[in-house]
Each structure stands twice: as C-alpha cells, then as structure tokens.
Amino acid sequence: MGHDQPLYILPFDHRGSFETGMFGWHGALDAAQTAQIAAAKRVIFDGFLAALAAGAPRHAAGILVDEQFGAGILRDAAAAGIATACPAEKSGQDEFDFEYGEDFGSHIAAFDPTFCKVLVRFNTEADAALNARQAARLARLSAWLRARGRSKFMFELLVPPEPAQLARLGGDRQRYDLELRPALMVAAIEALQRAGVEPDVWKVEGLDRREDCARIVAAARAGVGRGQVGCIVLGRGEDEGKVGEWLATAAGVPGFIGFAVGRTDFWQPLVDWRTGILSREGAVARIAERYLAFVAIFQDHRP
C-alpha cells in the first residue's frame, strides 16, 4: 500500500465549476456545450504536454481529468505512458457519492487510471450521520480498489469549517486555516482509517507550518502497512504566491511527494484564450510555464 515516489499532478477534473464558472451554463448540457468544455480541457492537456517537452520529469508528471469531458484525453495519456487519475465522485455536492452509482466499478475499469481519485469534505465535528454515510461508501471503494489491484487510491481531503468552529475564531478563515484546520485534518485521516478507508496518496490542503505537514504525514503513515503512503498538496485555487509557499513548506517534509495544482495553472490562461486576449498557443504556453514553475519550487525545496 502506498505511493512514495515524486508525483506532480495537473488536475483538471473540474465539472460543475467549468459549466457554471467558466462558461456560465446551468442545467443539462447539449452535445455542442459538452464539446466546448472538452476542447478547453484539451488546451490544458496540451499545456501539460508542452511542459513535458520543456523538461518536466516524465516519471513524476501526471494528469487528473474526468471521464465526462476528458475520456479521449485519458486514453491518449495512457497510450503515451503518462500517469493518469480519474475522479469517482459526483461533482459539486457536499456529501460524497459515486458519480455512476452502483456502476462505479465498470467506469473505473474502462480506463484503468493510475489513480482513482475522490474528493471528500470531512470534518469530524460535522454531522455524524453524514460522516458515517461517506465513510461507508469510501471504505467500499477502498476495498474494491485493493482487491482489484490495478488503480491506486488518491483521496482529496477538504476540511471546511463548521459554523461553530469559525465563530470561535471571530469568523476569521485565515485563523481557522492556521489554528484549527491542521488538527482537524489529522482527526479526519484517523477517523477514515478506522472506518477502513486506506488511500495510497492523501491529497491535502496547503499548510503554512512545517510541523503541521509532519503531523499529516505521521497520521497518514501510522499503523501497519502504511509506511509508504504519500501526501501531495492541492492548490485550492489560490494565487501563485500562496501556492508556492505551500509547496515550499511541504517539499521539505519527508512523505510529501508532490502536488496537484490545477486552477492556479490553467484558469486565467483559459479565460484569456476564450476572450481573445491569448491565442490557443499562448494559453498552452502559459499553462506549461506555470506547471513547470511549481515543479521547480517543489524540487528546489526537497531535502
């Protein structure tokens, strides 16, 4: 169990945020709209390929993209020997559930991604019944992946504040991130492990202190058989400066093996391409440049 080799992921598995945030669409999409989103995601993939051509480490580089808009990209990447990750969760809802319901296994098997990824909001002080429902579904997926033995399990953990937690800090989200979230992240990892959820890679929100990063790794690797479990940092849509700080902090901690930074890489270049500020080639180049910059930050700060 686990994955302890460098892992630099460009994630663009966003679905709801693309439909509403990028394109301003609501409701069911028609074929033309679906094709437009797929074309935008192809720009991101081309940016990733440009980064590889410019020297990004191929053994560590990978993409995370969804089946709905990126099926062709998943197949092309796999054919090229590129590490792939594909989401299993429904997009845009607070409670984890499978995108394809009881048919989740056949959809994973259809692509055999390097990693099967889930995004989960899990605060141990939130509704206990909600947490129990999520944990049961996640344990089922964890066991299915382990039994099948083809795709590793990547777990994206978000720990949003409960209203009472934020109230204790005067509504200050920055204080929550610094003072409360690290301990709640550890508690979430421990609770999920007790429920039978066993990721190979924990994808976690950025942390400002090295000691908090070390606590996350210790929790992720605690117990028998977890000694090679890896942790990566997600970007949370923050600006380049903040993401760079998180990567520099995490990179110095053994057990943090890389990152999965998406919107910070591609969102503005895509917006500029769609509005005519950038050509398609310019957007591809900008995405490649940002991805390469984050690779350099992480590598420069590794022990």
Side-chain angles (χ1 to χ4, degrees):
M1 181 168 60
H3 183 87
D4 60 358
Q5 299 303 303
L7 189 61
Y8 309 142
I9 296 288
L10 177 55
F12 50 108
D13 61 321
H14 312 72
R15 284 152 283 165
S17 60
F18 256 85
E19 294 173 29
T20 60
M22 178 70 69
F23 288 86
W25 297 330
H26 299 271
L29 303 182
D30 61 28
Q33 291 170 321
T34 299
Q36 284 189 58
I37 296 178
K41 294 202 173 195
R42 184 64 69 166
V43 173
I44 302 170
F45 182 52
D46 285 351
F48 174 83
L49 294 177
L52 288 182
R58 193 177 185 89
H59 69 281
I63 61 164
L64 165 57
V65 67
D66 55 289
E67 174 183 343
Q68 181 182 2
F69 301 114
I73 293 171
L74 284 167
R75 294 189 183 99
D76 290 349
I82 294 166
T84 60
C86 190
E89 80 279 352
K90 284 184 180 178
S91 178
Q93 62 180 44
D94 291 336
E95 178 174 348
F96 169 80
D97 204 352
F98 294 107
E99 171 73 10
Y100 298 104
E102 291 300 307
D103 203 25
F104 73 88
S106 66
H107 284 265
I108 297 169
F111 293 94
D112 272 339
T114 315
F115 298 92
C116 174
K117 167 261 182 184
V118 295
L119 181 152
V120 182
R121 296 168 177 83
F122 199 96
N123 186 318
T124 52
E125 296 181 14
D127 180 77
L130 165 67
N131 285 344
R133 289 194 303 271
Q134 295 195 111
R137 294 179 188 126
L138 293 159
R140 180 184 176 196
L141 176 61
S142 182
W144 187 90
L145 290 168
R146 194 73 55 210
R148 189 164 183 272
R150 294 180 67 89
S151 299
K152 289 185 176 291
F153 189 13
M154 178 182 290
F155 194 111
E156 180 174 351
L157 174 65
L158 302 181
V159 186
E162 287 293 293
Q165 294 168 340
L166 209 52
R168 293 202 301 269
L169 300 172
D172 190 330
R173 181 60 188 258
Q174 289 185 330
R175 283 189 63 195
Y176 169 78
D177 282 341
L178 187 65
E179 299 175 22
L180 281 186
R181 179 163 59 80
L184 290 167
M185 291 166 71
V186 169
I189 290 171
E190 293 172 345
L192 288 160
Q193 288 169 337
R194 287 193 299 271
V197 182
E198 297 287 358
D200 298 285
V201 174
W202 289 93
K203 180 183 174 189
V204 298
E205 297 172 271
L207 296 158
D208 294 307
R209 297 180 295 211
R210 189 180 191 279
E211 57 267 32
D212 289 329
C213 292
R215 291 169 66 195
I216 296 299
V217 172
R221 292 185 166 182
V224 177
R226 300 188 184 117
Q228 292 182 302
V229 171
C231 299
I232 60 176
V233 180
L234 61 89
R236 208 168 73 175
E238 291 285 353
D239 62 54
E240 293 174 73
K242 188 60 180 177
V243 172
E245 291 174 11
W246 285 338
L247 297 190
T249 300
V253 177
F256 268 91
I257 59 173
F259 60 83
V261 177
R263 286 174 294 169
T264 312
D265 279 338
F266 68 71
W267 193 270
Q268 194 59 48
L270 279 189
V271 169
D272 290 345
W273 166 60
R274 293 192 66 246
T275 56
I277 295 173
L278 282 178
S279 65
R280 189 184 190 283
E281 294 75 14
V284 166
R286 187 74 56 82
I287 291 165
E289 176 187 321
R290 291 185 175 186
Y291 173 79
L292 286 166
F294 290 134
V295 169
I297 289 170
F298 197 88
Q299 291 189 324
D300 288 349
H301 288 84
R302 293 180 68 191

